[in-house]
């Protein structure tokens, strides 16, 4: 009888341990990989392939920024932002550098209005955005990085197109997301 109780207790403890171990794995690597997608791979690469360090960083992001509730935009604000983005795209033909500067500033302003961190810390802002829009945050990083002057025209055009995906996601904000074409971006201007 005592042996049977001990065996049942050991099996119960093993089952509980297996449950918590499996739960930790699902909310860890595979859960974070699924939540962050390409951002997961970017962070792992930045940590030199150290997935544990990358997962700690991503888990910390979720703890710090996961509770952010995106504030809705009014229809007037949506229209204003859409018009400004269209202007930034049109400006690309004349001045890709100014176009990217406008897009970069517009994404910062729109993300602030939606409730993401304010201030000058680009990394903190993109970390917060990555928790909610991981699939699109890389476009914002590309626009921000391309503004430094090393990028050719084609690279700047591609960055602006990628950033548009985040813009659309932030603009839609759970409401009616409208598609805004990239018809003003020209190909083949050479390099800067």
């Amino acid at each position: 009888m005592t042996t049977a109780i001990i065996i049942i207790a050991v099996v119960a403890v093993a089952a509980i341990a297996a449950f918590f171990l499996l739960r930790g794995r699902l909310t860890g690597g595979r859960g974070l990989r699924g939540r962050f997608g390409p951002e997961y791979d970017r962070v792992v690469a930045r940590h030199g392939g150290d997935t544990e360090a990358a997962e700690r960083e991503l888990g910390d992001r979720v703890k710090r920024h996961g509770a952010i509730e995106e504030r809705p935009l009014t229809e007037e604000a949506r229209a204003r932002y859409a018009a400004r983005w269209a202007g930034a795209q049109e400006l690309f033909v004349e001045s890709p550098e100014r176009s990217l500067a406008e897009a970069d500033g517009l994404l910062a302003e729109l993300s602030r209005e939606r409730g993401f961190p304010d201030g000058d810390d680009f990394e903190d802002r993109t970390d917060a955005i990555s928790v909610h829009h991981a699939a699109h945050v890389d476009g914002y990083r590309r626009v921000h990085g391309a503004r430094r002057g090393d990028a050719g025209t084609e690279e700047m055009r591609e960055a602006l197109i990628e950033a548009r995906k985040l813009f659309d996601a932030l603009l839609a904000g759970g409401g009616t997301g409208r598609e805004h074409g990239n018809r003003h971006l020209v190909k083949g201007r050479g390099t800067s």
Side-chain angles (χ1 to χ4, degrees), residues 4-17:
I5 293 174
I6 292 174
I7 291 173
I8 292 172
V10 168
V11 169
V13 168
I16 292 170

Side-chain angles (χ1 to χ4, degrees), residues 59-190:
D60 183 51
R61 284 187 199 181
V62 171
K63 286 177 189 169
R64 286 185 295 134
H65 304 296
I68 291 175
E69 289 191 34
E70 293 182 67
R71 295 187 293 254
L73 295 173
T74 64
E75 283 304 313
E76 296 80 26
R78 275 192 178 93
R80 186 178 68 248
Y81 281 115
R84 287 178 59 197
W85 189 272
Q89 286 184 169
E90 289 173 11
L91 181 61
F92 188 87
V93 174
E94 181 183 320
S95 175
E97 296 82 7
R98 285 181 37 220
S99 173
L100 263 60
E102 175 66 19
D104 190 16
L106 190 54
L107 285 167
E109 186 180 325
L110 178 55
S111 65
R112 261 191 313 273
E113 188 167 338
R114 293 302 314 276
F116 291 99
D118 196 1
D120 295 330
D121 189 1
F122 177 77
E123 287 304 317
D124 190 44
R125 185 170 39 255
T126 54
D127 284 356
I129 292 169
S130 75
V131 173
H132 300 271
H133 299 284
H136 306 306
V137 73
D138 189 55
Y140 187 14
R141 283 196 182 94
R142 287 180 65 189
V143 160
H144 192 76
R147 290 186 55 208
R148 297 189 182 146
D150 310 8
T153 304
E154 182 61 18
E155 187 179 344
M156 288 188 278
R157 186 188 73 80
E158 290 171 1
L160 191 57
I161 289 170
E162 286 302 309
R164 180 56 189 256
K165 294 173 185 174
L166 177 61
F167 175 81
D168 285 341
L170 290 170
L171 192 66
T176 58
R178 293 181 218 128
E179 289 300 317
H180 305 282
N182 293 310
R183 66 185 176 280
H184 298 292
L185 297 181
V186 296
K187 199 170 184 170
R189 277 202 43 188

Side-chain angles (χ1 to χ4, degrees), residues 2-63:
T2 307
T3 307
I5 293 174
I6 292 174
I7 291 173
I8 292 172
V10 168
V11 169
V13 168
I16 292 170
F19 170 77
F20 283 111
L21 180 64
L22 180 61
R23 181 175 165 215
R25 283 188 183 159
L26 291 176
T27 59
R30 280 183 262 164
L32 289 171
R33 181 184 297 267
R35 179 177 190 151
F36 284 96
E39 181 71 2
Y40 180 92
D41 296 330
R42 187 188 76 79
V43 175
V44 168
R46 201 180 75 235
H47 283 281
D50 185 348
T51 57
E52 288 183 21
E55 289 174 6
R56 276 193 303 275
E57 178 184 328
L58 293 172
D60 183 51
R61 284 187 199 181
V62 171
K63 286 177 189 169

